Amino acid sequence: MEMMDYGNGLNPTWCKGCGHFSVLRSLQTAAARMNIPREMLAVVSGIGCSGRISGYMNAYSFHSVHGRSLPVAQGIKLANPELTVVAAGGDGDGFAIGTSHTVHAIRRNINMTYIVMNNQVYGLTKGHVSPVSHQGFKTKTTPEGAVDMPVDPGLLALGSGVSFYAQGFSAQQDELIELIKKAIEHPGFSLVQVFSPCVTYNKVNTYQWFREHLKSVEDIRNTDSSDYIGAVELLKETKGLCTGVIFQNKEKKCYEELHQETKESNLVKETPQISEELFQQLTKKFSL
Amino acid sequence: MEKFTMLIGGIQGEGVVSTGISLMKALSRKGYYTLCERKFSSRIKGGNTHIIITVSEEEVTCVESTYHVIMAMDQESIDLNFHQLRQDGILFYDQELQVSENLSGNKKVIPLPITETAKDQGKSFMKNTSVIGFLGKMTGFAYDELEEIIKNAYGKKGQETLTQNLAVLKVAYNNDSFDSTMAPSFQHKKGKAKMMMMGNEAIALGAVMAGCRFMAGYPITPASDIMENLALYFPQIGGKTVQTEDEVAAIAMTVGASHAGARSMTATSGPGMTLMGEGLGLAGMIETPIVVVDAQRAGPSTGMPTKTEQSDLSFLYYAGHGEYSSIILSPSTVTECYEMTVEAFNLADQYQCPVIILTDLNLSLSPQTIDAIPFENPPIQRGLFASETFLSSYKDGGFPRYKITENGLSERALPGIPGGQHQVTGLEHNELGRPSDNPDNRKKMMKKRMLKTEPLKNRNEIIVEDQLNGKTLFMAYGSVYGVLKEASKRSESDVDIARIRQIKPLPVDQIKKLMAQYDSIVVVEENFNGQLAQIIRQETDRTSDIVSLTRYDGNNFTIEEILDEMERWCK
Ligand SMILES: Cc1ncc(C[n+]2csc(CCOP(=O)(O)OP(=O)(O)O)c2C)c(N)n1
Ligand code: SF4
């Protein structure tokens, strides 16, 4: 399979230069490298410029509502565990309106992937402050500059017990492809946060700015990715500005392993017939 | 035997409810029908709780509001309920309580050694076993039959516990404070096969039999039992329940699972329903079947969590922003809760839209004797799916998931099926599921979604009971209907009664026929505004002959209240 096989011929409505293009290409390329049959791939997105990503995939794609890509995606995966399920959305989607879903999806550790396209601004609503915008960031709703402290996506994820956490950058597509591939391969919930610049509404955190500030985890890490404290320190030291696999816990059992029922139970294929014996068993507590 | 009603009251956590349920089960085994209402304070332990049980040889549809017997284990049970005791009724109370001298009238007041017997023979917390001894004797049970009940309840809890409980039972049973004239004579016989069930349990069972295998929910009174029951069932049959972080996630997950092809549901009450508006709209827009139970309680906001009401209807009738089709089914009995849950899943799949099962706290939570639900796999209608051969002709996302058809229904393709790849989106979309705000497309799609449930308006989902051809029809749904039924049995008026089983789409033709037949339709419901009456007036364009009768204090209508109204309408 080729990257192009995962496209549906539509031209994205994104601004020229938007970081989200690269995320789309990376997801398509990762799927191609992994040879995921298109019908076995479900891409669920939220609302935002980022949320449009599902609409450009040749897959079973689901453009849901603002902040809800994760619950929808988990529902799909639980119903049909044979599918490869990828949720995707913006930083507003994942760390404002959908924060609780992010935390609880991490806790549940269902075998799926979540890509957050972080541009530190609300693109679709034309430039409002985001929960990851830096203090002082001026937008139409924060003309004096943002006062609220930004959320730290990496620490939030680690604090919630994430089993795979990586960060990528739209301008480093080769790395991003590999990160998405590793995330999908990870048996459990994997979160990939992508620095995906908004060229129209964020004039601070630009491609150039990220080039100057981002460090590669490979260059600075002196522990391996399974070291939790090491991962926390790495994020602290770099103020979160690093790319690579920050943390991976391969030992942690995912939902599918813990709830053994899910292994064979594809809820879609199961026949609903109940035997008389089973019916008696189910209604025993009502019998007199 | 006439109907017989008893109240057992005590401190929450003392087994008051389970004592009542044990007695109900025992009586049901002996051919009787029973129905109870449970009253609890929102405290888990320590508050007063009581259970009111009506027993009859015929089906019981509501508890009576005056009691033959009160069995009080705490003072509050007396204070709250003594005035409801019939003039010829008896108050039995634990002799440890200080009962004031001036409890008036001819009512008999008899102290019983409830705690004392428990303490002497076992432990003081075995009070409920004393109560079973006293009440069991009164309702005509032989000692060994009661022994059986105690063995079933405590057999697994160790020999000592069992022995002590049996000792308590024996002494209580042999207490001679009763004589046979105090209660009607209970004639035990073997009747039809029966079950003891409440609405929520019937819904969970119905869901399983309908092939539902996924349930996401967030706990809330009075809906939690549905998830609790499914959590017990699914491991036995291969299904999953998820307790989500909130109701927004619960319904979104339900939509996801259903989109993937599993029959899926969620259940909640008013506060959760408010949060689910978003998911209802999503399911409506992308035409994904889901089943949502709303077990109504008194609102708004947190309202009165343990009190019954039917006040979510207006909100649900128009739920969410924008316009889309949905279906609201309104069962009135436990058996209907079962049957209509099956129906809800079939309608959801056939019409590809949300189906709401609307109950109320009293219907959802009142255990009662019903004729046993027979074993039968109900017919399953899963609606339209594109065939795999058809799909294989589509390569690159050309499958028209939202094809415009005459009846507005189009074929689904489930994730995993080659060739069926397509997008669904909460944005307005074209036949391929791709975003579009083209005005012509918008009009076509709106019509498709809005008109597809139109045929359901022709269903005759208003059931008129034993027509007397009077001039007035009383109509209700949910637990209120049970009160109408009992009142109409007792009433000498020629008022007819009906229950409505489908509120949306409203069976307009049928209602218009009924309007021609009756001078007035009195819609009886538990909310302030008369919400169902409002909807009927609006949909039929008729105002004068639709009358509204409401109650909104958290309690069910009483039989007497309805009887008075019926007499009034008969003049
Ligand atoms: C419930 C709800 N509230 C608000 C909106 C408006 N809205 C659409 S996208 C968005 C935020 C987009 O920002 P982000 O998630 O960071 O994605 P981006 O557009 O930057 O890719 C908002 C507030 C909405 N669609 N739904
Ligand atoms: S507004 Fe920003 S996020 Fe949206 S498409 Fe343009 S560049 Fe991308």
Side-chain angles (χ1 to χ4, degrees):
Chain A
M1 297 281 262
E2 301 293 326
M3 176 200 127
M4 275 167 42
D5 295 324
Y6 294 88
N8 64 0
L10 289 188
N11 283 326
T13 54
W14 295 318
C15 309
K16 194 162 168 273
C18 174
H20 301 347
F21 280 102
S22 168
V23 181
L24 172 64
R25 281 194 301 269
S26 300
L27 176 58
Q28 290 169 332
T29 311
R33 288 194 192 158
M34 296 175 73
N35 251 318
I36 303 171
R38 292 176 299 193
E39 68 274 11
M40 297 308 288
L41 179 61
V43 180
V44 185
S45 60
I47 301 297
C49 297
S50 45
R52 288 297 188 115
I53 192 168
S54 62
Y56 307 128
M57 294 289 300
N58 185 342
Y60 277 92
S61 63
F62 194 133
H63 182 227
S64 68
V65 271
H66 193 26
R68 316 299 174 217
S69 66
L70 283 173
V72 170
Q74 291 169 87
I76 293 175
K77 181 70 180 180
L78 290 170
N80 187 347
E82 290 163 46
L83 299 171
T84 298
V85 177
V86 177
D91 41 301
D93 225 66
F95 299 118
I97 192 164
T99 317
S100 80
H101 308 312
T102 305
V103 170
H104 292 278
I106 289 173
R107 275 182 59 221
R108 238 167 248 131
N109 203 25
I110 294 173
N111 186 10
M112 55 174 281
T113 297
Y114 181 34
I115 301 173
V116 178
M117 291 167 247
N118 181 2
N119 51 18
Q120 293 167 272
V121 72
Y122 285 7
L124 193 70
T125 58
K126 300 190 187 317
H128 297 116
V129 70
S130 132
V132 283
S133 301
H134 290 162
Q135 281 180 314
F137 187 65
K138 286 191 178 168
T139 69
K140 289 173 206 161
T141 47
T142 52
E144 310 282 320
V147 177
D148 302 353
M149 282 278 290
V151 168
D152 190 323
L155 293 177
L156 179 91
L158 286 171
S160 308
V162 75
S163 62
F164 179 102
Y165 179 67
Q167 294 187 162
F169 176 31
S170 289
Q172 295 166 8
Q173 195 170 302
D174 289 344
E175 182 191 29
L176 185 54
I177 294 167
E178 282 310 303
L179 291 175
I180 292 175
K181 198 166 155 273
K182 280 184 188 150
I184 295 175
E185 281 162 355
H186 172 78
F189 187 84
S190 49
L191 173 54
V192 183
Q193 197 226 146
V194 186
F195 301 106
S196 180
C198 170
V199 294
T200 308
Y201 296 111
N202 191 336
K203 305 291 186 193
V204 180
N205 311 102
T206 59
Y207 284 101
Q208 189 53 35
W209 187 89
F210 280 112
R211 277 197 194 93
E212 283 161 16
H213 289 83
L214 283 177
K215 297 199 174 82
S216 167
V217 166
E218 299 309 319
D219 296 343
I220 48 175
R221 196 208 308 267
N222 40 28
T223 58
D224 84 55
S225 62
S226 66
D227 180 11
Y228 184 83
I229 299 298
V232 173
E233 279 167 0
L234 190 68
L235 289 170
K236 278 281 175 209
E237 271 162 35
T238 59
K239 297 205 173 74
L241 292 166
C242 53
T243 62
V245 176
I246 315 280
F247 179 70
Q248 181 169 23
N249 180 351
K250 289 184 182 157
E251 312 296 302
K252 188 169 180 173
K253 286 203 166 80
C254 66
Y255 180 99
E256 285 82 349
E257 282 176 277
L258 292 169
H259 296 246
Q260 287 180 348
E261 19 146 1
T262 30
K263 275 202 180 135
E264 303 85 41
S265 71
N266 180 317
L267 306 182
V268 181
K269 289 188 182 152
E270 220 130 83
T271 53
Q273 290 285 315
I274 299 278
S275 69
E276 179 154 14
E277 197 190 342
L278 189 50
F279 181 80
Q280 303 305 351
Q281 196 179 310
L282 299 178
T283 52
K284 194 161 172 251
K285 64 177 193 162
F286 308 122
S287 56
L288 303 166
Chain B
M1 185 192 89
E2 267 185 55
K3 283 200 168 58
F4 180 78
T5 299
M6 58 189 153
L7 178 146
I8 310 171
I11 307 281
Q12 212 147 227
E14 282 184 342
V16 171
V17 170
S18 59
T19 302
I21 304 273
S22 305
L23 261 172
M24 286 169 72
K25 280 197 168 179
L27 284 162
S28 306
R29 272 198 295 276
K30 295 294 184 181
Y32 289 98
Y33 288 88
T34 66
L35 184 150
C36 77
E37 215 174 278
R38 298 179 286 173
K39 305 263 184 186
F40 20 53
S41 58
S42 285
R43 300 211 324 253
I44 298 297
K45 272 204 169 157
N48 169 268
T49 183
H50 48 274
I51 177 167
I52 307 157
I53 304 168
T54 295
V55 188
S56 168
E57 282 160 1
E58 288 162 31
E59 207 185 340
V60 187
T61 60
C62 64
V63 297
E64 298 185 303
S65 39
T66 56
Y67 319 134
H68 296 83
V69 162
I70 292 177
M71 177 66 73
M73 289 189 270
D74 72 341
Q75 187 62 41
E76 229 178 316
S77 296
I78 303 173
D79 300 344
L80 290 172
N81 302 297
F82 189 75
H83 66 285
Q84 303 282 83
L85 188 65
R86 291 162 56 119
Q87 280 309 320
D88 58 353
I90 315 169
L91 165 68
F92 293 108
Y93 67 94
D94 191 344
Q95 64 190 28
E96 314 273 295
L97 301 173
Q98 306 295 325
V99 169
S100 89
E101 301 276 297
N102 48 18
L103 282 176
S104 59
N106 307 332
K107 301 180 186 178
K108 279 207 189 81
V109 176
I110 301 177
L112 287 178
I114 298 178
T115 305
E116 189 186 286
T117 307
K119 233 193 276 179
D120 287 355
Q121 307 300 321
K123 307 229 161 52
S124 64
F125 61 78
M126 293 175 180
K127 278 193 262 189
N128 44 345
T129 299
S130 320
V131 170
I132 290 190
F134 295 128
L135 285 180
K137 183 176 190 186
M138 189 167 112
T139 47
F141 285 94
Y143 175 71
D144 44 339
E145 289 170 327
L146 298 178
E147 205 178 61
E148 216 43 48
I149 299 176
I150 298 298
K151 279 183 182 158
N152 282 337
Y154 300 104
K156 289 197 193 98
K157 302 207 167 146
Q159 193 52 49
E160 197 191 339
T161 311
L162 179 61
T163 315
Q164 289 181 345
N165 273 292
L166 287 173
V168 174
L169 180 75
K170 188 160 217 159
V171 172
Y173 189 84
N174 291 329
N175 181 292
D176 51 14
S177 306
F178 295 117
D179 67 64
S180 56
T181 60
M182 286 180 179
S185 71
F186 281 79
Q187 254 127 36
H188 294 180
K189 55 176 185 274
K190 191 113 193 96
K192 281 195 253 175
K194 296 196 177 73
M195 284 177 175
M196 173 77 70
M197 215 185 251
M198 55 186 190
N200 281 344
E201 293 167 331
I203 289 171
L205 186 65
V208 162
M209 296 309 288
C212 169
R213 294 295 178 269
F214 183 84
M215 195 290 178
Y218 189 80
I220 189 166
T221 305
S224 304
D225 319 74
I226 298 173
M227 179 162 48
E228 291 168 15
N229 276 280
L230 289 174
L232 288 175
Y233 290 156
F234 281 163
Q236 303 175 56
I237 58 178
K240 292 166 202 169
T241 52
V242 182
Q243 183 178 319
T244 54
E245 50 275 27
D246 56 29
E247 287 86 349
V248 174
I251 193 165
M253 218 179 262
T254 304
V255 171
S258 175
H259 172 77
R263 279 199 154 177
S264 309
M265 74 181 297
T266 181
T268 186
S269 186
M273 216 51 248
T274 299
L275 296 185
M276 288 192 186
E278 178 188 87
L280 285 176
L282 174 65
M285 185 58 147
I286 65 173
E287 305 192 50
T288 298
I290 54 166
V291 172
V292 180
V293 180
D294 179 11
Q296 299 172 93
R297 68 188 212 189
S301 188
T302 314
M304 299 193 283
T306 58
K307 297 286 188 173
T308 198
E309 203 165 84
Q310 299 177 313
S311 53
D312 296 352
L313 177 61
S314 298
F315 162 60
L316 292 176
Y317 197 78
Y318 305 101
H321 60 284
E323 300 160 298
Y324 58 92
S325 285
S326 65
I327 297 168
I328 301 177
L329 302 182
S330 44
S332 285
T333 65
V334 168
T335 309
E336 274 188 348
C337 284
Y338 173 80
E339 292 165 353
M340 289 169 78
T341 301
V342 174
E343 194 182 356
F345 280 98
N346 283 340
L347 290 175
D349 271 347
Q350 284 173 290
Y351 291 90
Q352 302 182 9
C353 71
V355 178
I356 295 163
I357 301 173
L358 192 61
T359 70
D360 52 62
L361 183 139
N362 268 352
L363 177 58
S364 268
L365 290 191
S366 301
Q368 55 201 275
T369 318
I370 59 166
D371 291 330
I373 292 172
F375 165 71
E376 187 191 3
N377 276 292
I380 304 287
Q381 280 119 22
R382 293 240 36 190
L384 299 175
F385 288 100
S387 73
E388 298 207 17
T389 32
F390 171 72
L391 287 172
S392 60
S393 62
Y394 290 107
K395 284 209 179 63
D396 290 308
F399 167 64
R401 163 67 184 95
Y402 300 105
K403 194 171 169 49
I404 300 287
T405 59
E406 217 153 281
N407 59 11
L409 301 169
S410 20
E411 293 173 336
R412 296 168 67 194
L414 301 181
I417 298 176
Q421 298 95 279
H422 64 276
Q423 185 190 15
V424 301
T425 171
L427 288 168
E428 185 55 278
H429 42 262
N430 62 19
E431 289 190 314
L432 298 176
R434 295 177 177 176
S436 163
D437 49 17
N438 172 296
D440 288 334
N441 176 74
R442 165 72 174 175
K443 268 166 51 187
K444 278 188 204 145
M445 284 296 163
M446 280 301 287
K447 279 196 186 141
K448 170 188 185 341
R449 287 189 300 264
M450 295 307 292
L451 299 181
K452 66 183 177 181
T453 54
E454 204 71 353
L456 291 171
K457 285 192 173 156
N458 302 328
R459 295 189 353 144
N460 290 330
E461 287 299 301
I462 297 170
I463 316 289
V464 182
E465 192 96 8
D466 310 327
Q467 291 198 31
L468 301 166
N469 296 316
K471 292 199 172 87
T472 311
L473 179 69
F474 274 47
M475 185 159 79
Y477 74 94
S479 61
V480 178
Y481 176 70
V483 187
L484 289 196
K485 199 163 171 186
E486 180 60 28
S488 106
K489 266 192 216 157
R490 293 192 199 173
S491 171
E492 305 200 328
S493 73
D494 56 1
V495 164
D496 281 340
I497 61 160
R499 65 184 189 278
I500 178 165
R501 292 157 40 102
Q502 176 186 301
I503 299 180
K504 191 179 177 189
L506 194 70
V508 174
D509 290 346
Q510 197 191 1
I511 292 189
K512 285 191 172 156
K513 277 187 206 134
L514 291 171
M515 282 172 166
Q517 199 177 325
Y518 293 95
D519 289 352
S520 307
I521 298 181
V522 180
V523 182
V524 190
E525 52 187 316
E526 288 170 348
N527 56 62
F528 186 88
N529 278 327
Q531 301 183 355
L532 178 57
Q534 281 179 337
I535 289 169
I536 295 175
R537 286 187 199 114
Q538 173 203 320
E539 298 287 350
T540 56
D541 244 343
R542 295 269 285 273
T543 49
S544 57
D545 30 20
I546 299 292
V547 181
S548 176
L549 180 60
T550 61
R551 178 164 182 163
Y552 45 86
D553 65 352
N555 295 308
N556 250 142
F557 278 101
T558 63
I559 301 162
E560 292 74 17
E561 219 174 337
I562 302 293
L563 264 174
D564 284 351
E565 286 292 330
M566 284 181 169
E567 303 311 322
R568 211 161 67 75
W569 277 95
C570 168
K571 277 179 203 149

